[in-house]
Amino acid sequence: MEGKSSINVAIIAYGYAGRKIHAHLLARTPGLVIYGVMARSAELRNQAKIDHPSCKTFETFEEVLSDPDVHLVVLASPTSLHCDQAVRALRANKHVVTDKPMCRTVSECDLMLAAARDSGKMLSVFQNRRWDGDFLTVQQVLAEKQLGERVRFMELAFQRFGLSGKAWKNSSIEEGAGALLDLGAHTVDQLNRINQKPISTIYARILKDFPEAPGVDSNSIIFVNYVDGSTALLDISSIAANPKPRFHLSGPKATFTKYGLDPQELAMVAGDIDSARESPANSGTVTDGASKAVTVIPTLPGRWRNYYENVADHLLRGATLEVPASQIRKNVAVLEAAQLSALHNKVIPFAQVYGVTERQD
């Protein structure tokens, strides 16, 4: 859409994600206009008008698709709806951003990617935690080879305590709910950016400990093994009263450890994402293996606003898209392979789910 001065955006669903996250960021992104909000609830439509007086409101998805002035659809809807809604929007000549997780299975992902190719429209996934301060710091530590030439072991944890406050997220993994897909979509994406080597096998155990929500996972442990011999452990938990480090990476020279969660979401919910500041007490450390010396690594500032600013630059000025949906297919495959492994209690060859053998560079 190069040549246009702005992009009209319709937000689909106006719950927590639609209102507190996507609308907050979109309203602060030059070139993107909150043109409309779709919500089945009259109360939420009224809230959207209070928050954004100039926006239109839609009761149905069909109304959004039939409006020629909608250029970009942002899916803040439940994961189980992403595939159908994305495909329909793309076929209606709309660009699409889906919240994470992109979808439930590789087969759904392939339907979405095919629709994007056929339509020639943008399909991107809201992987905002690529711009977490801790993750940016991890990438800097690795780029500077502070841990050595190769990182042999990577442990990433995303943990909370208790069920989600969003009712639909407390159904089942099969329906696209639960911590594995909710938190795991971020954790797997970060892992796949840290280590882009081909994956050989996946092994996982998924626990379900909530009697009030028997289909919801309480803790998932995923072992990701790479063809070069390195290993990653992902720990996704809703029963962690005292969370472990978010990142624990070891190489032949040193180990990096980082506690705490990026502060941007709390600042955004409070009304101003730009006010986010991490406590210096949560800074990561690099521990030297030989000397045992501990070096404090200040956390780089995170900036979730980069995601939608890049979407605007891509659509208005032809900039390279930072998170094309094609990148996310590997994430979806890791999560699907983990579920398959846990179901059958066996190691799963990654190519069995991913569908291709990754090239070893």
Side-chain angles (χ1 to χ4, degrees), residues 10-41:
I11 302 170
I12 308 304
Y14 204 61
Y16 177 82
R19 183 185 180 203
K20 295 293 188 178
I21 298 178
H22 292 282
H24 185 97
L25 294 171
L26 287 163
R28 288 159 175 76
T29 305
L32 298 183
V33 177
I34 299 178
Y35 170 84
V37 171
M38 190 224 93
R40 299 195 183 280
S41 160

Side-chain angles (χ1 to χ4, degrees), residues 98-121:
T98 77
D99 205 339
K100 59 78 210 168
M102 177 182 177
C103 53
R104 295 171 294 183
T105 64
V106 171
S107 61
E108 285 189 343
C109 180
D110 287 343
L111 289 173
M112 296 165 76
L113 293 174
R117 284 193 300 270
D118 292 345
S119 68
K121 294 297 178 179

Side-chain angles (χ1 to χ4, degrees), residues 40-85:
R40 299 195 183 280
S41 160
E43 180 182 357
L44 290 177
R45 292 197 299 275
N46 290 337
Q47 185 63 59
K49 290 295 289 185
I50 293 170
D51 295 341
H52 308 283
S54 64
C55 82
K56 294 180 66 172
T57 58
F58 303 91
E59 185 175 357
T60 69
F61 192 56
E62 289 72 22
E63 291 172 346
V64 175
L65 299 187
S66 64
D67 189 328
D69 291 324
V70 172
H71 307 139
L72 168 63
V73 169
V74 172
L75 301 180
S77 48
T79 306
S80 60
L81 302 178
H82 286 181
C83 179
D84 176 68
Q85 289 181 335

